[in-house]
């Protein structure tokens, strides 16, 4: 609780002056004003506490994701359950895209009217794709006379993915390298998963929730994921490089590639490389919504400076044998053929 | 913010962070209409509470319905000016024009209304303070119900406009209180109570304004093209978005304030109307009371007095009193036997030496080293020789005895008892008497009682009286001290005398005065009489002459500039003029008892012979007791007559001591301006205040615009002049600002100003698609304009460079150099010239076109 001594002292000074005037001039009206001045602070602080005790703050986005260039409609909602309004409230928050972090603090003043949900629309225009994040710091609420200000903590965070716009890319041939074994040829059916569990492994970011082995996880108190056996071998892996300088182009190409492959009904996986954890996450695209989901995971991946780090790590760690489509900036390469498509 | 800057800032922010917070919107919206309406109600509450509260407190009759409706209308009208920028400017002009028009149109009514209100208020103040004198304004129209209503409407309109600024514009409580409370304090000060509902309204407006001001979010900008719902303020590490106002919030605050105010008001109902118990007033209250009394009796000018101005004596101090404000309390009670119809003078102060707006008694010269320093050396030498050779000269009583050497030829004597009720330690001596003739004692009530024996002065010197012979040093005193003039004002006085038709002045030259004692005395009296007549003809007597400006001489200022004053002005200046003419004279203060006062005296059962012996001009012989008030404090002149001593001479024009009410006119300042065409002047005649006149000639709808065209022309001319001055001021300010920027080498800012100007000019030549274009857009636009002009390749290149410089100044302002700025200016001039050029039909003349 912050006290505004300047306002308080000024107010007390006003009371003293009025008191002196009453002593000197003895006018009932001045006495009435003095009484008013004395009860006003009490009333102000009482109303303030009443409002604060019945205040609920919520912040959310009206849409789950937006495409780059569009506006993210964030909404701040303050529900005041009391009968009194407060007018000097400041909502403090930071707003950033993970790809371009900043330290600018945004301060939004708002009136909190009684017995209603006060909704303030905060439209955020975007110029780059990535994960937009609004971190609510606090709501600073002052009483009517601006004597005290209370910090109303709002431990809330809203993250909205800003999806890249798609572009036309020419996909290289995705035909698998054949070695004569028929049973390993590519199937035309996407998502040909069998019901057999190949293995149980630990949860990795990016794993779909439906694959979590809930019973086992509950028993072992750790999240475990079912790795299903494929009826056919996955032959195509999209491997985006999280190069810092080219991340925007990479995002655009990644989304374009994923959508084109989806349209071509190719069955493929997206392999995301977490450079900080030196770990890979695989996202099998079996539904259109998984494209967005995969992109969201992609936005969380830490960036690095090199342009082939993911590829090198992929081969170094002996990941799956497949046709690799490496995306770095606007470059889309098939690893085995080294085709460059720009 | 300008859209161009907004756009630039947005682009910058998007480039830096990839994000930009757009136009924030509250679900409730701004709702300007509702906000203006609510603010209009707030203005109305404050305005109505003040104006009606004041009028009701003094029980002044008025038409409450008309006043209420009008105040509501004007409050709402004023507050709705804030709804849009265009309405704001046009509305304010209309408001100003309408207000002035109506003020001029109903000037006689408004003036009379204000005067009626002030008269009633003054009456109540006079009653409260038990003032004997009354400052009274002249009401041109006697129908107070009508005139007060008109005056209230106009005053209310003015107040509403002011309150609209403090409430709608600034939302400032202190300013609102300062505008409203002093008016109600007029009533409260003398324990008049405005109706409680007015107080509740006013207090509600105070609470509402106070809460909104404290919330810091209720300064609604005038809506314009660029005013969003939320104001954005960018700083280095933070961005603030501030909402301007909120309709529901304003409504809730207003309701809350009304409820709170009503609860407190009703809670205080009994104590509000109860009588304040009598208690001894404290010093501050007494002082304030004195100021209030001064104001009530003398107006604003009285507040600027440098010393006490309640009448009475000032011991030779001059120029510090703006207005004389006698309290008409009895200062002296004088018992004597009248022997003449002439005014009886009671002298208490004799000023011989004048310097620095101060008269000094000759015996006190040593108390004033500064004054001594200013005395010419020869006078000081003679003065010192006297004082060293004859110390007795320093004795006041001795000097006084020489002052009273005049004795009439016929043996006569009188006795006077002066009871000092409200004076200091001064003694008061009638002509002719000295301190030696005065005995001081206390009466039964412990009042100082002066008993003075005197040789009566019948209003003229008796030529048959045997002249007395003065000692040499007294002659020095008379002929040097009593001819003293400060050297600083001597040239002015000599020129002034030379310009007048005084005896002794021939064709602007001073002539020698007669030397024969009889002739010289006649000459002196003739000059004094001429000065007096000059005053009567060319000077005015007034109780409120104003103070003498600092560093100006009192006498010089009065004679050359002021030409109006009280008795001290006339006496002091006449003394100086007499001395300039070579006539020994002194400035005297005291009390006078004119015949009118004597006639009001009460007879005393006493033996006449004990009180007076000698010739008398009065038919009924008897002893009188008269009350002498401070209004009879007076200053006059003593002229030295050879062989007879100093005799009193009245220099103040005859209307001195006129106790008629002080007439002032609320619109007096406009009298000269509007005097001819206004119907008001027709009132001041036989029909003044007549009912027929009011009914037939001054109905509220009878005003003829034609008849009052002149003031409107003057008014419009004045407005045009003011607007012209504003434009001139703006232009000069622009020049000054440019000069400052150039001096500070802030070229980027200068270029930005030029850029805005160029945008405007380019837009006027051919409308821009975007009125606030980016540099490249403007560049393209200019090129489009110049295409038909067929400009040279060199010029095109210069224009390209010009826009490059422009972009540089906008995006890299710190790198601009003086040379680049000069280059920019040169090309800019060329562009301006090209913009003025009209494309010629004949292409063969294109060179001349360029």
């Amino acid at each position: 609780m912050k006290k505004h001594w300047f306002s308080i002292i000024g107010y007390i000074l006003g009371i003293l002056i009025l008191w002196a005037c009453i002593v000197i001039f003895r006018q009932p009206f001045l006495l009435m004003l003095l009484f008013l001045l004395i009860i006003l602070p009490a009333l102000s602080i009482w109303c303030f506490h009443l409002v604060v005790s019945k205040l609920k703050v919520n912040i959310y986005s009206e849409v789950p994701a937006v495409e780059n260039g569009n506006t993210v409609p964030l909404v701040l909602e303050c529900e005041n359950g009391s009968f009194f309004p407060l007018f000097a409230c400041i909502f403090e928050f930071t707003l950033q895209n993970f790809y371009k972090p900043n330290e600018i603090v945004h301060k939004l003043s708002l009136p909190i009217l009684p017995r209603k949900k006060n909704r303030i629309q905060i439209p955020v225009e975007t110029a780059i794709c990535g994960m937009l994040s609004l971190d609510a710091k606090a709501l600073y609420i002052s009483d009517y006379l601006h004597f005290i200000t209370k910090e109303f903590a709002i431990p809330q965070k809203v993250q909205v993915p800003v999806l890249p716009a798609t572009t036309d890319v020419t996909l290289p041939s995705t035909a698998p390298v054949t070695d004569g074994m028929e049973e390993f040829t590519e199937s035309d059916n996407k998502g040909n998963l069998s019901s057999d569990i190949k293995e149980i492994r630990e949860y990795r970011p990016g794993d779909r929730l439906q694959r979590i082995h809930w019973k086992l996880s509950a028993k072992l108190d750790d999240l475990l994921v079912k790795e299903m056996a494929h009826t056919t071998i996955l032959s195509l892996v999209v491997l985006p490089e999280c190069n810092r300088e080219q991340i925007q182009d990479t995002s655009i190409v990644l989304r374009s590639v994923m959508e084109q492959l989806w349209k071509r009904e190719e069955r493929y996986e997206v392999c995301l490389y977490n450079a900080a954890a030196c770990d890979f996450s695989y996202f099998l695209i079996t539904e259109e919504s998984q494209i967005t989901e995969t992109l969201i995971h992609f936005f969380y991946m830490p960036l690095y400076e090199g342009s082939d780090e993911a590829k090198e790590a992929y081969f170094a760690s002996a990941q799956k044998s497949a046709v690799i489509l490496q995306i770095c900036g606007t470059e889309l390469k098939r690893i085995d053929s080294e085709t460059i498509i720009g | 913010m300008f859209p161009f800057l907004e756009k630039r800032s947005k682009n910058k922010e998007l480039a830096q962070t990839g994000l930009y917070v757009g136009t924030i919107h509250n679900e409730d919206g701004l709702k300007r209409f509702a906000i203006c309406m609510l603010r209009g109600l707030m203005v109305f509450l404050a305005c109505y509470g003040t104006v009606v509260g004041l009028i009701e407190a003094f029980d002044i009759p008025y038409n409450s319905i008309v006043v209420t409706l009008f105040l509501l209308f004007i409050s709402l009208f004023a507050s709705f000016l804030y709804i849009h920028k265009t309405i704001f400017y046009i509305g304010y002009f209309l408001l100003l024009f309408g207000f002035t028009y109506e003020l001029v149109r109903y000037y006689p009514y408004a003036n009379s209304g204000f005067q009626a209100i002030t008269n009633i208020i003054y009456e109540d103040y006079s009653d409260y303070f038990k003032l004997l004198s009354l400052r009274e304004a002249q009401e041109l129209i006697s129908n107070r119900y009508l005139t007060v209503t008109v005056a209230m409407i106009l005053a209310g309109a003015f107040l509403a406009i002011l309150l609209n600024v403090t409430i709608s514009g600034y939302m400032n409580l202190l300013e609102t209180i300062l505008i409203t409370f002093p008016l109600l304090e007029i009533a409260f000060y003398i324990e008049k109570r405005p109706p409680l509902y007015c107080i509740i309204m006013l207090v509600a407006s105070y609470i509402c304004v106070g809460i909104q001001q404290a919330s810091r979010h209720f300064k609604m900008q005038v809506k314009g093209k660029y005013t969003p719902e939320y104001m954005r303020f960018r700083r280095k590490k933070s961005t603030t978005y501030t909402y301007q106002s909120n309709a529901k919030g304003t409504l809730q605050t207003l309701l809350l304030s009304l409820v709170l105010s009503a609860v407190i008001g009703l809670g205080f109902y009994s104590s509000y109307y109860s009588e304040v118990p009598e208690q001894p007033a404290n010093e501050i209250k007494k002082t304030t009371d004195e100021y209030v009394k001064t104001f009530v009796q003398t107006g604003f000018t009285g507040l600027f007095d440098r010393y006490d101005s309640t009448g009475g004596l000032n011991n030779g101090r001059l120029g510090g009193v703006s207005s004389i404000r006698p309290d008409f309390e009895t200062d002296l009670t004088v018992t004597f036997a009248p022997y003449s119809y002439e005014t009886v003078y009671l002298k208490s102060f004799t000023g011989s030496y004048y310097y620095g707006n101060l008269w000094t008694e000759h015996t006190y010269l040593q108390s004033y080293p500064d004054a001594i320093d200013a005395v010419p050396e020869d006078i000081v030498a003679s003065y010192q020789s006297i004082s060293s050779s004859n110390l007795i000269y320093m004795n006041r009583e001795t000097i006084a005895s020489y002052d009273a050497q005049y004795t009439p030829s016929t043996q006569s004597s009188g006795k006077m008892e002066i009871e000092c009720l409200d004076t200091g330690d001064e003694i008061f001596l009638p002509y002719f008497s000295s301190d030696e003739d005065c005995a001081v004692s206390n009466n039964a009530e412990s009042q100082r009682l002066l008993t003075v024996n005197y040789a009566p002065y019948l209003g003229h010197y008796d030529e048959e009286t045997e002249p007395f012979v003065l000692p040499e040093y007294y002659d020095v005193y008379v002929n040097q001290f009593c001819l003293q003039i400060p050297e600083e004002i001597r040239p002015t006085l000599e020129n002034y005398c030379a310009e007048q038709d005084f005896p002794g002045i021939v064709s602007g030259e001073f002539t020698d005065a007669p030397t024969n004692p009889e002739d010289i005395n006649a000459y002196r009296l003739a000059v004094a009489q001429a000065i007096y007549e000059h005053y009567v003809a060319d000077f005015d007597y007034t109780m409120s002459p104003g103070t003498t400006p600092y560093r100006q001489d009192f006498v010089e200022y009065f004679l050359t500039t002021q030409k109006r004053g009280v008795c001290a002005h006339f006496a002091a200046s006449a003394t100086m003029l007499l001395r300039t003419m070579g006539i020994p004279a002194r400035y005297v203060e005291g009390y006078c008892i004119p015949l009118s006062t004597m006639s009001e005296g009460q007879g005393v059962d006493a033996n006449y012979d004990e009180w007076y012996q000698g010739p008398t001009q009065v038919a009924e012989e008897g002893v009188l007791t008269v009350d002498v008030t401070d209004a009879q404090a007076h200053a006059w002149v003593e002229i030295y007559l050879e062989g007879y001593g100093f005799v009193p001479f009245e220099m103040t024009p005859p209307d001195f001591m006129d106790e008629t009410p002080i007439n002032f006119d609320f619109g007096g300042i406009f009298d000269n301006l509007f005097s001819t065409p206004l119907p008001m002047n027709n009132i001041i005649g036989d029909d003044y205040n007549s009912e027929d006149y009011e009914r037939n000639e001054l109905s509220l709808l009878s005003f003829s615009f034609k008849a009052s065209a002149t003031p409107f022309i003057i008014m419009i001319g004045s407005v045009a002049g003011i607007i012209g001055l504003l434009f001139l001021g703006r232009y000069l300010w622009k020049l000054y600002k440019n000069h400052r920027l150039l001096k500070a080498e802030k070229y980027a800012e200068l270029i930005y100003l030029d850029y805005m100007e160029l945008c405007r000019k380019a837009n006027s030549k051919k409308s821009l698609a975007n009125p606030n274009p980016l540099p490249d857009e403007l560049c393209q636009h200019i090129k489009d304009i110049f295409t038909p002009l067929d400009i040279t390749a060199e010029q095109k290149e210069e224009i390209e460079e010009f826009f490059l410089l422009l972009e540089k100044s906008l995006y890299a302002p710190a790198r601009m150099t003086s040379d680049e700025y000069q280059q920019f200016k040169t090309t800019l001039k060329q562009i301006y010239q090209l913009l003025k050029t009209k494309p010629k039909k004949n292409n063969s003349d294109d060179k001349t076109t360029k």
Side-chain angles (χ1 to χ4, degrees), chain B residues 313-317 348-349 358-361 368 426 587 589:
Chain B
L313 308 174
N314 289 322
N315 287 324
R317 285 182 296 178
S348 75
F349 173 85
L358 180 72
W359 283 102
T360 313
E361 287 188 306
Y368 295 89
E426 299 96 345
Y587 167 85
E589 286 178 359

Side-chain angles (χ1 to χ4, degrees), chain A residues 24 26-27 29 36 85 87 96 100 105-110 113-114 116 119 121 123 125 127 132 144 146, chain B residues 10 15 18-20 22-23 25 27-28 181 185 214 217 230 237-239 241-243 252-253 264 279:
Chain A
I24 294 164
R26 301 189 191 96
Q27 293 172 4
F29 177 62
L36 181 70
F87 304 112
Q96 59 182 340
K100 280 201 175 180
V105 177
H106 298 261
K107 294 173 183 173
L108 169 68
S109 69
L110 65 149
L113 303 180
K116 66 175 286 194
R119 284 163 51 87
Q121 290 171 357
E125 295 176 29
L132 183 145
Y144 292 131
H146 216 267
Chain B
K10 180 181 171 181
L19 299 169
Y20 180 76
T23 308
H25 173 63
E27 192 182 47
D28 295 328
F181 185 70
E185 184 58 27
H217 293 99
Y230 271 75
K237 289 192 172 179
S238 69
T239 307
Y241 312 90
T242 312
Y243 74 92
Q252 284 162 4
T253 318
I264 293 174
Q279 286 182 31

Side-chain angles (χ1 to χ4, degrees), chain B residues 78-147:
Chain B
S79 66
F80 270 99
L81 295 177
Y82 280 76
I83 202 163
H84 195 274
K85 192 181 266 183
T86 313
I87 292 173
F88 181 82
Y89 290 119
I90 295 174
Y92 254 118
F93 178 77
L94 286 176
L95 199 61
L96 178 70
F97 184 79
F99 181 78
T100 316
Y101 179 87
E102 294 302 322
L103 182 63
V104 173
R105 186 177 176 185
Y106 298 119
Y107 175 74
Y109 293 93
N111 195 28
S112 299
F114 284 118
Q115 287 164 344
I117 293 166
T118 47
N119 281 342
I120 292 167
I121 291 173
Y122 283 149
E123 278 170 22
D124 282 330
Y125 265 79
S126 293
D127 291 345
Y128 181 80
F129 287 116
K130 298 180 178 62
L131 299 175
L132 294 174
S133 68
L134 181 63
R135 184 172 158 85
E136 189 179 347
Q138 191 181 50
E139 294 172 48
L140 299 174
I141 301 164
S142 59
N143 186 347
R144 282 184 167 176
Y145 184 77
L146 176 68
T147 57

